[in-house]
Amino acid sequence: MNTPLSWIKAYVPGLDCTAQEYTDAMTLSGTKVEGYECFDADLEKIVVGRVNKVLRHPDADKLVICQVQVSEEGDTVQIVTGAPNVFEGAVVPVVLDGGRVAGGHNGEKTPGGIRIKKGKLRGVESFGMMCSIEELGSSREMYPDAPEEGLYIFNNNPAYADLKIGSDAVEALGLHDVNFEYEVTSNRVDCFGVLGIAREAAATFGKEFVPPVVKKTGNNEKASDYVSVEIEDTTLCRRYVGRVVKNIKIAPSPMWMQRRLAANGIRPINNIVDITNYVMEEYAQPMHAYDLDRLAGKKIIVRRAKDGEEFVTLDGQVRQVDSSMLMICDGEKAVGIAGIMGGENSKITDDVKTMLFEAACFDGTNIRLSGKKLGLRTDAAAKFEKGLDPNNAMAAMDRACQLIEELGAGEVVGGAVDVYPEPWQEKRVKFDYERTNAVLGTKLDKQTMLSYFRKIDLAYDEATGEVIVPTWRQDVNSQCDLDEEVARFYGYDNIPATLPSGEATTGKLSFKLRIEAMARQMAEQFGFFESQNYSFESPKVFDKLLIPQGDAARNTVVISNPLGEDYSVMRTLPLNGLLSSLATNYNRRNKNVRLYELANVYLPKSLPLAELPDERMQFVLGFYGEGDFFDLKGVVEEFLEKVGLKDILTYDPQAGKTYLHPGRQANICYQGGVIGYLGEIHPEVAERYGIGEKVYAAVLDMPQIVEKADFDTKYVGVAKFPPVTRDISMVMKKEILAGQVEEIIRKNGGKYLEHYELFDIYEGAQIAEGYKSIAYSISFRANDKTLEDSEVNAAMEKILKGVRTLGIELRS
């Protein structure tokens, strides 16, 4: 949202401040000013001059010597110029010796401007410069009467007929002004119009707000005799106001209107179009005009479009519309896409005689969605999509008709066609000033607070103790909103520092965040660095990871407006990002790289999507260089132990992950369920990522771990009695897993089993082919006595009996 300061001052006459003071005060009171531009920042000593004589330069074909009058007293200066449009009698802006111009080209200003000094051009003295509009820091967008090349000629515009020679040319051009850019939040729809900003400025600076006085307009006829209006879908169109203007006279709009529109970034076109745009900027109410003679049946029907219907908009483009979009139609055809753009078949031309003015209120969400579908965004749509106040439509319409009459643009027909099925009512919010003081820590009296409310047109009902909120303040709905109004006008910088009241609470991380913090701590303790990757990636990832067609991992959430093909789906596997990061490090010749990531994956519950996908965080570890499968397994087990997974972990080598080495992978199992997996990355996958070393990775499903984790620990005293240790060495087939042996030790070790540890694995000449030898150290201990050999031997016999069921024999 942009506004020139001159437009604000038109409604706040007493406003007197610098641009910086305005910026600071408005920002502190809640209307954030992003920045401002002073139109006259680099303009000095520029006056209105008249060219009295033009002579050819003796030594240059493209230069002329001008005698330019620069004061009412007749003072003249000699200026040499190459402007192609200079002529005797031309009234132009002249920068005098020692003055400054903005310089630049196509509106691009030269920083600090350009100082103009007297000098010689091809041997002839020149004491100044005559200016184009670009040299004054502006452009033809703001001054449409300016030539494409050459000097700005005041004579070409009747608005400058009374200019005095020697007067301030910058003031004549309206450049002693400042343009402010605001960041307006979407809940302050009133501040998308100049009147809303002006009301805020008046309240901020304690000045009187003087909105334009709108007088009754129209002849003795009735608009309803000219046109009828029907709304078929009242949920998407809350109100439709139409007025008729006949005997249209198309002409340029006055200079003051052109300047204000141009400062807001809107190109002036003609009086009719400019009035609709002017009221849109002033009231934050978009308007549209139709050629009434081109409306079949002299009627307006507001209805949904038909699927497959085509419509040609004002820009000449054919648009494909569907039943989700709202259309403005006459008795036979569509004539506009509601709230977005009118149609070519009803546009205002120079031949228009009678027109229909439209001011309506459409559903903001529908306008936003329709605009995105069509790839069409307009100033009107940008305002409609915020959710406008229907009660503002008639006020804007009356203002537009008043401007029509004031500018002599046509004859306004009396009355209006106003279809408003469910009028909006003012809200009432209970106000407790003591509660406001308690929240803010202030000691303001009630009347002071009410005076703030009156500044912004919030009335107060003494009988009920309620603040009456006008419909255009859609953001005020509860006591806390009233607290905010008091705070911003009392001054956030004036609110004292106070201690918080209420019971003290201990701030700490949630249980889930504590688990994630432990994951980071453990990973970094083992030398892993955190990696962060996008949650969206390319569908080609599944081919790189050797995921077969039809695999559930390929069922992805597709992004409707992706940055590109490489970022078009939400990831269902967390490994691609980590492997890509490892590959980047490998290609940059970094050795022994360890990375981890807490990565979300998005698993759709059904396709097409009918509900939000299952968003699951995965703890991913990956490395290349020093270390192997068992190093990674140790990190995983250390983490799981730290977060309180007290039961025994088991590993299932039949993990079936295509992107892991077939013989060096395993599912991590806990309490009968799979909570993750780990292994060596498949050599082909590593090659596809450009990593020339063995890569290891582990993935843990954090939601399951959070569910099973437990930080509660119990103290166990130091044992008083010594342990008894037995070592056994066994020979078995290679296919038998150490985990199977350990499960038998756990089951058969009895109540005195304290600890067991694998300390040797051997395959070699002394062992038959296809067999291996593994050795365990097993400890037994009792808490209340010293164990006897017979008790330990009985436990060992049960263990040996169990392992023999697997075909395992003791090694002699």
Side-chain angles (χ1 to χ4, degrees), residues 317-531:
Q317 299 294 313
V318 178
R319 310 282 180 179
Q320 192 83 23
V321 296
D322 59 44
S323 57
S324 68
M325 302 175 190
L326 195 66
M327 305 296 290
I328 308 297
C329 308
D330 61 15
E332 298 175 356
K333 61 188 179 300
V335 294
I337 303 174
I340 300 176
M341 186 177 283
E344 193 176 54
N345 56 8
S346 62
K347 67 181 181 181
I348 298 296
T349 65
D350 292 344
D351 299 327
V352 66
K353 297 293 186 291
T354 307
M355 72 176 185
L356 171 68
F357 247 160
E358 166 194 286
C361 186
F362 305 111
D363 179 72
T365 303
N366 180 261
I367 296 298
R368 173 68 171 164
L369 293 174
S370 298
K372 284 180 69 69
K373 281 185 179 179
L374 294 169
L376 186 59
R377 185 169 177 81
T378 60
D379 290 337
K383 286 183 166 57
F384 274 124
E385 65 190 28
K386 304 300 187 295
L388 301 185
D389 173 19
N391 292 338
N392 194 39
M394 183 60 82
M397 176 61 77
D398 291 342
R399 172 64 166 158
C401 290
Q402 179 190 35
L403 290 171
I404 287 284
E405 290 193 348
E406 288 181 356
L407 303 185
E411 180 183 352
V412 180
V413 173
V417 179
D418 184 8
V419 182
Y420 194 5
E422 297 180 13
W424 278 21
Q425 304 298 325
E426 294 175 330
K427 292 175 289 187
R428 287 176 168 261
V429 178
K430 198 73 177 177
F431 176 56
D432 181 353
Y433 84 97
E434 293 179 341
R435 189 261 194 191
T436 300
N437 276 328
V439 168
L440 301 181
T442 54
K443 296 180 180 179
L444 298 172
D445 60 81
K446 182 178 179 181
Q447 291 306 315
T448 299
M449 295 185 188
L450 294 181
S451 70
Y452 297 151
F453 296 157
R454 285 192 293 271
K455 289 180 179 181
I456 49 176
D457 294 345
L458 301 182
Y460 182 68
D461 187 338
E462 286 283 357
T464 61
E466 294 173 319
V467 171
I468 303 170
V469 183
T471 53
W472 45 264
R473 280 304 299 271
Q474 298 176 27
D475 60 310
V476 179
N477 299 292
S478 62
Q479 171 72 38
C480 61
D481 296 319
L482 297 176
D483 297 342
E484 182 181 1
E485 297 302 301
V486 172
R488 69 193 187 97
F489 288 116
Y490 175 64
Y492 292 114
D493 51 336
N494 294 324
I495 295 176
T498 55
L499 292 172
S501 60
E503 296 182 1
T505 57
T506 303
K508 63 179 182 179
L509 295 175
S510 66
F511 186 74
K512 173 178 176 292
L513 292 179
R514 289 171 65 196
I515 300 295
E516 292 173 14
M518 181 60 72
R520 290 188 177 91
Q521 178 183 330
M522 292 305 303
E524 289 165 10
Q525 181 177 316
F526 284 100
F528 289 79
F529 290 86
E530 186 167 12
S531 171

Side-chain angles (χ1 to χ4, degrees), residues 164-371:
K164 293 182 178 180
I165 303 301
S167 61
D168 186 348
V170 177
E171 182 178 354
L173 290 166
L175 292 175
H176 285 315
D177 205 351
V178 186
N179 199 33
F180 293 94
E181 180 184 355
Y182 306 87
E183 180 185 326
V184 182
T185 54
S186 57
N187 64 339
R188 287 303 304 272
V189 293
D190 56 303
C191 287
F192 283 94
V194 176
L195 285 176
I197 298 289
R199 184 185 292 108
E200 290 291 311
T204 298
F205 289 94
K207 305 296 182 181
E208 183 183 4
F209 173 55
V210 185
V213 178
V214 180
K215 300 176 182 177
K216 184 178 179 180
T217 56
N219 58 22
N220 295 325
E221 298 177 277
K222 293 183 179 179
S224 56
D225 293 337
Y226 282 78
V227 68
S228 63
V229 175
E230 176 187 348
I231 301 177
E232 290 186 2
D233 194 325
T234 55
T235 58
L236 298 186
C237 179
R238 299 188 183 94
R239 187 179 192 182
Y240 191 102
V241 177
R243 292 195 71 176
V244 176
V245 181
K246 63 181 187 178
N247 301 324
I248 300 295
K249 299 174 184 176
I250 300 292
S253 54
M255 193 58 61
W256 60 267
M257 181 176 286
Q258 291 188 33
R259 295 290 180 269
R260 289 179 179 179
L261 288 175
N264 276 37
I266 298 176
R267 182 171 63 89
I269 297 175
N270 60 48
N271 51 3
I272 300 299
V273 176
D274 291 355
I275 285 171
T276 62
N277 287 332
Y278 184 85
V279 174
M280 177 177 71
E281 294 302 308
E282 189 174 52
Y283 279 76
Q285 171 63 56
M287 302 189 69
H288 191 68
Y290 300 96
D291 187 337
L292 186 60
D293 295 326
R294 300 174 71 178
L295 296 181
K298 298 296 187 288
K299 65 190 305 183
I300 288 290
I301 301 173
V302 185
R303 63 162 175 84
R304 286 180 181 263
K306 298 173 184 176
D307 287 326
E309 186 176 352
E310 289 187 344
F311 181 71
V312 182
T313 46
L314 277 172
D315 56 3
Q317 299 294 313
V318 178
R319 310 282 180 179
Q320 192 83 23
V321 296
D322 59 44
S323 57
S324 68
M325 302 175 190
L326 195 66
M327 305 296 290
I328 308 297
C329 308
D330 61 15
E332 298 175 356
K333 61 188 179 300
V335 294
I337 303 174
I340 300 176
M341 186 177 283
E344 193 176 54
N345 56 8
S346 62
K347 67 181 181 181
I348 298 296
T349 65
D350 292 344
D351 299 327
V352 66
K353 297 293 186 291
T354 307
M355 72 176 185
L356 171 68
F357 247 160
E358 166 194 286
C361 186
F362 305 111
D363 179 72
T365 303
N366 180 261
I367 296 298
R368 173 68 171 164
L369 293 174
S370 298

Side-chain angles (χ1 to χ4, degrees), residues 574-752:
L575 278 176
N576 173 64
L578 196 75
L579 289 176
S580 298
S581 298
L582 288 171
T584 299
N585 280 275
Y586 180 81
N587 292 326
R588 293 180 181 176
R589 301 188 179 184
N590 292 328
K591 297 180 179 180
N592 305 318
V593 176
R594 296 187 169 201
L595 299 177
Y596 78 92
E597 182 179 5
L598 288 167
N600 285 333
V601 296
Y602 302 83
L603 310 176
K605 298 171 185 175
S606 62
L607 289 175
L609 282 179
E611 56 182 318
L612 291 175
D614 184 11
E615 183 177 347
R616 304 183 72 82
M617 178 171 284
Q618 312 284 286
F619 180 27
V620 194
L621 297 155
F623 72 89
Y624 66 79
E626 292 182 2
D628 57 18
F629 178 94
F630 297 102
D631 290 298
L632 183 61
K633 178 171 173 282
V635 175
V636 169
E637 290 178 349
E638 184 77 11
F639 164 65
L640 295 176
E641 181 182 342
K642 286 289 186 182
V643 295
L645 271 64
K646 299 179 176 65
D647 291 348
I648 300 299
L649 288 174
T650 59
Y651 296 88
D652 178 9
Q654 305 303 319
K657 306 298 182 186
T658 56
Y659 38 85
L660 298 180
H661 193 294
R664 300 169 190 170
Q665 59 174 283
N667 279 334
I668 304 168
C669 305
Y670 184 76
Q671 295 180 347
V674 177
I675 61 171
Y677 57 86
L678 78 166
E680 180 186 330
I681 297 297
H682 196 292
E684 185 177 342
V685 173
E687 183 180 350
R688 292 185 178 194
Y689 279 90
I691 306 175
E693 293 189 35
K694 290 182 179 180
V695 187
Y696 298 91
V699 176
L700 294 170
D701 187 45
M702 291 298 280
Q704 292 193 71
I705 292 171
V706 170
E707 181 183 340
K708 296 173 172 58
D710 183 1
F711 282 118
D712 292 336
T713 56
K714 294 181 180 179
Y715 171 74
V716 178
V718 177
K720 297 180 180 179
F721 300 95
V724 178
T725 303
R726 295 283 191 271
D727 292 345
I728 59 172
S729 180
M730 298 166 283
V731 178
M732 64 193 73
K733 293 181 179 180
K734 286 184 179 181
E735 293 78 20
I736 296 175
L737 303 175
Q740 293 174 272
V741 175
E742 292 174 3
E743 186 176 359
I744 290 173
I745 294 174
R746 287 195 301 271
K747 286 183 178 179
N748 298 347
K751 64 180 180 179
Y752 298 129

